């Protein structure tokens, strides 16, 4: 049995006890979170959120890519969020490689090049990465100046969030 | 006090009781999930996952964008995941608008055009969207044929996942 089959079994129990069927689509707390995909981050308990409170956008490195900006725009303009958090974390895998190394490995192992993505957004300074993503979001001409955008580092050893000020 | 300040207060309690400081970076279950950002989806309890079990990638519509593919490649090649789930859901906001409408609204409200993103990936058929994203991931030349990629719809009224077969 695969891990996905295990997850489907677990979902049967979740659905059996499900009591959230009347939640509306707009996030109750008008909050959107952009966080790393890392398995050690479980966003809702980390932030004291309940199901229905916030949009949660995640990718490798919590990078404000065009796709993350797309999601944030939909979050604000269609579903009314007014505060954005960017959450990186200590021990991030994105600190452990270089884009060029991964690109060469993929080309070598698959025998295929000239494929996108051509960049992986690896970084070597965690706090600088947070500042850059916050700055990118704030600078985007379609992101309203009324939205509060703040950046954080989550410590995977202690569970604590620290704000990274501009 | 802002919602983000409330979340930081809640995080103090989370950190106070934190007992997960020794988890390794590679996801224990070798699973990566690509799900919609919708506030009504809390992925870990939906799938019976614990913190540390799986990478969780989320964007508006659970679209296999270049950025989501980037995250899945990092997940597999650097951190060893072998099964991917794509999770859309009933009542998705992406079913409620057209890309051209949002693009025109953004240009009109901000007075700025010729900015990316130029596409928002709105869709009008939920199951077809799941099938398309699964197919995109499977067809990518850098995604190993050894990875199991399966698609699902989460029913926000019942909490139940249904598999969408190709």
């Amino acid at each position: 049995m695969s891990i996905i089959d295990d997850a489907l079994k677990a979902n049967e129990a979740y659905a059996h006890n499900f009591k959230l069927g009347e939640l509306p689509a707009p996030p109750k707390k008008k909050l959107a979170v952009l966080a790393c995909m890392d398995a050690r981050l479980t966003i809702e308990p980390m932030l004291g959120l309940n199901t229905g409170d916030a949009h949660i956008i995640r990718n490798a490195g919590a990078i404000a890519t065009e796709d993350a900006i797309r999601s944030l725009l939909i979050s604000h303009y269609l579903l009314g969020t007014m505060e954005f958090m960017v959450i990186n974390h200590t021990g991030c895998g994105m600190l452990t490689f270089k884009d060029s190394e991964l690109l060469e490995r993929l080309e070598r192992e698959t025998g295929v090049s000239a494929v996108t993505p051509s960049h992986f957004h690896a970084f070597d300074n965690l706090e600088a990465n947070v500042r850059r993503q916050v700055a990118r979001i704030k600078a985007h001409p379609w992101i309203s100046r009324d939205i509060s955008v703040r950046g954080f580092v989550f410590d995977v050893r202690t569970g604590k969030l620290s704000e990274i000020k501009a």
Side-chain angles (χ1 to χ4, degrees), chain A:
Chain A
M1 200 154 107
S2 75
I3 292 296
I4 293 178
D5 291 323
D6 286 344
L8 293 177
K9 276 275 177 211
N11 175 255
E12 287 178 19
Y14 180 74
H16 187 74
N17 297 307
F18 192 71
K19 293 182 178 66
L20 302 169
E22 301 304 320
L23 287 175
K28 183 175 175 190
K29 293 197 170 174
K30 299 185 189 297
L31 174 68
V33 177
L34 170 59
C36 186
M37 69 178 180
D38 193 282
R40 294 166 293 180
L41 278 59
T42 301
I43 305 300
E44 291 85 346
M46 176 201 294
L47 302 177
L49 300 174
N50 293 313
T51 300
D53 280 349
H55 283 144
I56 300 179
I57 301 156
R58 300 180 67 175
N59 65 27
I63 308 294
T65 56
E66 180 174 318
D67 191 48
I69 297 281
R70 174 184 73 86
S71 297
L72 290 169
L73 290 167
I74 291 168
S75 176
H76 172 70
Y77 283 94
L78 297 180
L79 291 152
T81 57
M82 293 301 300
E83 296 184 52
F84 296 166
M85 295 179 86
V86 176
I87 304 179
N88 269 88
H89 62 95
T90 59
C92 188
M94 303 295 282
L95 290 158
T96 67
F97 72 99
K98 301 235 172 295
D99 273 27
S100 57
E101 293 166 1
L102 181 55
L103 198 61
E104 284 163 24
R105 178 179 166 194
L106 288 167
E107 291 176 343
R108 190 174 63 243
E109 291 192 13
T110 67
V112 181
S113 59
V115 173
T116 58
S118 56
H119 297 285
F120 294 92
H121 298 285
F123 49 81
D124 55 17
N125 183 315
L126 191 59
E127 297 193 4
N129 183 62
V130 174
R131 284 196 187 90
R132 179 170 291 134
Q133 308 319 317
V134 169
R136 268 191 203 165
I137 295 168
K138 286 185 171 178
H140 194 284
W142 286 346
I143 297 287
S144 166
R145 297 296 158 263
D146 297 335
I147 296 172
S148 170
V149 187
R150 294 163 62 180
F152 302 88
V153 168
F154 175 74
D155 187 325
V156 297
R157 297 285 165 239
T158 66
K160 191 150 178 51
L161 277 174
S162 300
E163 186 155 11
I164 307 299
K165 300 280 192 181

